[in-house]
Amino acid sequence: EINFREGNRTEYDGEINLNFGGIGGQIEGPFANQKGSFLFSANKSYLDLMMKVFAEGYPSPEYYDAQTKVVYDISENHKLTFLDIFANDVYDVPYDKAVEKELNQYGDTKIITNTAGLNWMYIWGQNGYSNTSLSNTFNSRSVFLNETKSQNKFLSNNTDENIFALRNINYYKLN
């Protein structure tokens, strides 16, 4: 289980980061008179840019991701949480680049993954609570690769999947 922190409920904050892996940023803050908060972040790898400069133009993948969490307290005992996690990976190798760099395959790969869910937490009292979640995970994979030497098809796969889930967990502490 992964737990994402809530956004700041008292003030707006932002951050930009630049590191060896890429560039990203986040913004967070309160809404609805501090009954809720939001947190959004996005990142992009710059491996593709580094490869162009340091690896003499070898093809390289591009990576992107984004996360969002929105929390709203309906009342003292009821809380709604929306969470979204997105990733996009792209790797394109043109035929002429594969020939030039003596690569075995050329083609393109695109992968998108997104998971979004809504959670309702209901606190019954001091002894128990219910946690109910509805989520969807979407995966899309598009891979088309050819052998460079023969230009014959090496791999062809185009897949989209949607997975829906409904979960309810009830906890009750016996005295």
Side-chain angles (χ1 to χ4, degrees):
E1 184 172 310
I2 299 173
N3 291 314
F4 286 84
R5 73 175 179 84
E6 290 187 18
N8 190 327
R9 287 187 179 230
T10 58
E11 63 184 16
Y12 294 98
D13 267 331
E15 176 181 301
I16 294 175
N17 65 57
L18 179 64
N19 58 54
F20 188 72
I23 186 167
Q26 78 177 32
I27 186 166
E28 62 183 300
F31 70 90
N33 294 323
Q34 298 180 342
K35 290 180 73 173
S37 70
F38 70 91
L39 174 66
F40 173 77
S41 69
N43 300 286
K44 183 202 181 305
S45 165
Y46 49 72
L47 178 61
D48 56 321
L49 301 175
M50 291 176 59
M51 291 289 287
K52 287 177 185 173
V53 172
F54 297 111
E56 300 178 24
Y58 270 90
S60 64
E62 297 178 37
Y63 301 112
Y64 309 88
D65 67 68
Q67 302 85 37
T68 302
K69 183 171 184 178
V70 179
V71 177
Y72 179 70
D73 297 334
I74 299 169
S75 70
E76 188 175 300
N77 293 341
H78 296 272
K79 180 194 287 191
L80 285 177
T81 303
F82 172 76
L83 181 65
D84 185 62
I85 304 167
F86 170 81
N88 185 15
D89 304 337
V90 178
Y91 187 58
D92 292 321
V93 181
Y95 173 73
D96 59 333
K97 189 63 74 173
V99 170
E100 175 190 338
K101 298 299 179 183
E102 299 179 3
L103 302 175
N104 292 331
Q105 290 108 19
Y106 69 95
D108 60 86
T109 300
K110 293 176 178 58
I111 300 172
I112 296 173
T113 301
N114 192 76
T115 298
L118 185 63
N119 185 76
W120 168 44
M121 178 178 264
Y122 169 49
I123 300 172
W124 307 334
Q126 292 182 345
N127 292 337
Y129 64 88
S130 292
N131 218 352
T132 305
S133 300
L134 175 64
S135 66
N136 172 250
T137 298
F138 172 73
N139 290 307
S140 177
R141 287 173 173 64
S142 174
V143 181
F144 300 101
L145 299 176
N146 297 308
E147 293 177 343
T148 304
K149 188 173 183 180
S150 67
Q151 295 189 6
N152 290 334
K153 187 183 295 183
F154 177 75
L155 176 63
S156 178
N157 182 0
N158 195 15
T159 305
D160 290 338
E161 353 176 291
N162 269 303
I163 301 167
F164 291 90
L166 176 63
R167 177 182 85 162
N168 177 262
I169 297 173
N170 297 296
Y171 171 83
Y172 188 78
K173 180 181 174 185
L174 299 173
N175 287 336

